[in-house]
Structures are given as C-alpha cells and as structure tokens.
Amino acid sequence: SQQGEEDPQALSIQEGENATMNCSYKTSINNLQWYRQNSGRGLVHLILIRSNEREKHSGRLRVTLDTSKKSSSLLITASRAADTASYFCATDGWAGSYQLTFGKGTKLSVIP
Amino acid sequence: SQTIHQWPATLVQPVGSPLSLECTVEGTSNPNLYWYRQAAGRGLQLLFYSVGIGQISSEVPQNLSASRPQDRQFILSSKKLLLSDSGFYLCAWSVLGGSTGELFFGEGSRLTVL
C-alpha cells in the first residue's frame, strides 16, 4: 500500500508564483524525501528531512515536516517553466531501511 | 562520480515473450540495488531489492524475477510477459549502510506488452 500521498494531484501556476505540494503518510518514519521526475525520465532526489527536523531549505526549495500530523510540504518559490515536472514524496519505514515507499505524485505545470 | 545505466530505454514485446532489463552502476562498490515499476499516473512500486551479490528480496509476487550476478549489475527478467507487465521500470541504487537512504535512479525502461 502507498505510504505517502501527495496533494494536490495536479497543480498549474504562472511563472514566478510559489508552488506548494503536500504529502501525508500513515506510519512512523525515519526520514522523508522529495523527488522530482521530468516526463519520461528517472527520478531525481531533491531533499531529505529527518524525523527530528521541522524545516529544511535548499535553494528555492523549502520542506517542512510535522510528525504529529504525519505530513510534509514542499514549497518551490519563484517558480520557473523548468520546474514543470511531477514531484513525489517518499518515506522509509524504520531506521536502517532503504525501502522507500513513494506516493502517486503531484504533477506541477508552470506556465511561462 | 557515480553513474547508473539502464537499458533498453524502450521495448515492445508480445504477450508470452521473455524479458530482460539490465542495470549497471559505476563509481561505487557494494550498493543496494532496486527495481521499481511505475504504472501510468501511479506512484512507484518496489519490485525487488538487493543488498549483495545473489541476495534478492521480492516485494510483490508476480511473474518477474531479478538477479544480481555481479556487485554492480542488476537484471530484471520474465519468462513469459503478461499484458499487466506494461509500465515504466526504474533501476536505482543507494549507499549500503549509508545514513541518508537517498536513491539514485536510472533513466528508466518503458515496456509495452501487446
């Protein structure tokens, strides 16, 4: 079964706007990761946040984690057309496990 | 630097035919290796993972199998393909014993079974 579920399923914004995607999961995690997938390509790792962290930044990306609500959000600021892609959250089940479980993803379209 | 190669990139196969997808990793030793499948509009489903040569764990019962004949080689196979095997197959690796769990993916193999 899917551990992470992204919301919304699809998001369309204008270039320059911010994009926020959410992820909810069901069981305790060691860490949560976000990946990006361009159409027809492999996934690329964006950022990892550990269960004892609440917020993390990487360039235009900001990730938050609320373990009490079992949810995470990915914020992309000042979006660009090149940010158009699907974004997936992935969770692991226990410390030392690298069996990541992926959600169905959010498809982001950034309109120039 | 580490790289991962996956081939073929696309293939169209008839029902009942065999399958072999290959994945190799360069620039690292003793990686964890994974095969995922992505159906249209769906998330990634973990099919197999391996922590060492000859060590394969299966996550989903199916007519697919995996082998790891060498440290950095991972092969996905089937003796007889089903229509339901169509999808986008992704190979990935991670650092064995590493603390991040980050996965590095290949470019994928798109399989269409007719």
Side-chain angles (χ1 to χ4, degrees), chain A residues 27-67:
Chain A
T27 62
S28 297
I29 60 171
N30 186 45
N31 65 59
L32 184 145
Q33 303 180 40
W34 284 91
Y35 287 79
R36 166 196 168 124
Q37 183 182 34
N38 286 4
S39 181
R41 306 291 297 275
L43 278 75
V44 176
H45 180 263
L46 294 176
I47 197 166
L48 178 150
I49 186 166
R50 301 190 186 285
S51 59
N52 61 353
E53 298 176 310
R54 291 298 168 258
E55 186 171 315
K56 202 162 185 179
H57 297 255
S58 177
R60 294 185 295 113
L61 305 180
R62 172 178 169 249
V63 170
T64 61
L65 179 63
D66 187 335
T67 53

Side-chain angles (χ1 to χ4, degrees), chain B residues 24-104:
Chain B
T24 59
V25 180
E26 297 177 358
T28 188
S29 298
N30 305 316
N32 287 331
L33 294 172
Y34 307 82
W35 279 112
Y36 281 87
R37 178 170 59 198
Q38 184 178 31
R42 302 288 302 275
L44 276 69
Q45 179 185 37
L46 179 61
L47 301 176
F48 301 95
Y49 70 95
S50 171
V51 299
I53 296 174
Q55 301 179 60
I56 309 294
S57 296
S58 174
E59 291 295 304
V60 181
Q62 60 221 328
N63 70 321
L64 300 172
S65 63
S67 62
R68 186 171 177 172
Q70 300 180 45
D71 179 47
R72 291 170 291 177
Q73 184 184 25
F74 207 24
I75 298 171
L76 183 69
S77 304
S78 173
K79 294 182 179 179
K80 289 185 177 182
L81 285 169
L82 307 173
L83 287 174
S84 58
D85 291 324
S86 293
F88 192 50
Y89 289 82
L90 289 155
C91 180
W93 71 273
S94 69
V95 176
L96 181 65
S99 60
T100 65
E102 175 183 349
L103 291 182
F104 301 89

Side-chain angles (χ1 to χ4, degrees), chain B residues 98-113:
Chain B
S99 60
T100 65
E102 175 183 349
L103 291 182
F104 301 89
F105 284 86
E107 286 299 313
S109 298
R110 184 163 302 282
L111 170 65
T112 302
V113 182

Side-chain angles (χ1 to χ4, degrees), chain A residues 1-43:
Chain A
S1 62
Q2 299 287 353
Q3 163 75 313
E5 293 290 339
E6 292 88 348
D7 170 64
Q9 292 185 344
L11 179 62
S12 184
I13 59 174
Q14 295 289 328
E15 201 166 30
E17 294 180 339
N18 295 341
T20 299
M21 290 158 272
N22 303 297
C23 170
S24 60
Y25 57 93
K26 298 178 181 177
T27 62
S28 297
I29 60 171
N30 186 45
N31 65 59
L32 184 145
Q33 303 180 40
W34 284 91
Y35 287 79
R36 166 196 168 124
Q37 183 182 34
N38 286 4
S39 181
R41 306 291 297 275
L43 278 75

Side-chain angles (χ1 to χ4, degrees), chain A residues 68-82:
Chain A
S68 66
K69 296 181 179 179
K70 291 185 170 59
S71 66
S72 174
S73 67
L74 170 67
L75 169 67
I76 304 175
T77 60
S79 63
R80 306 166 181 168

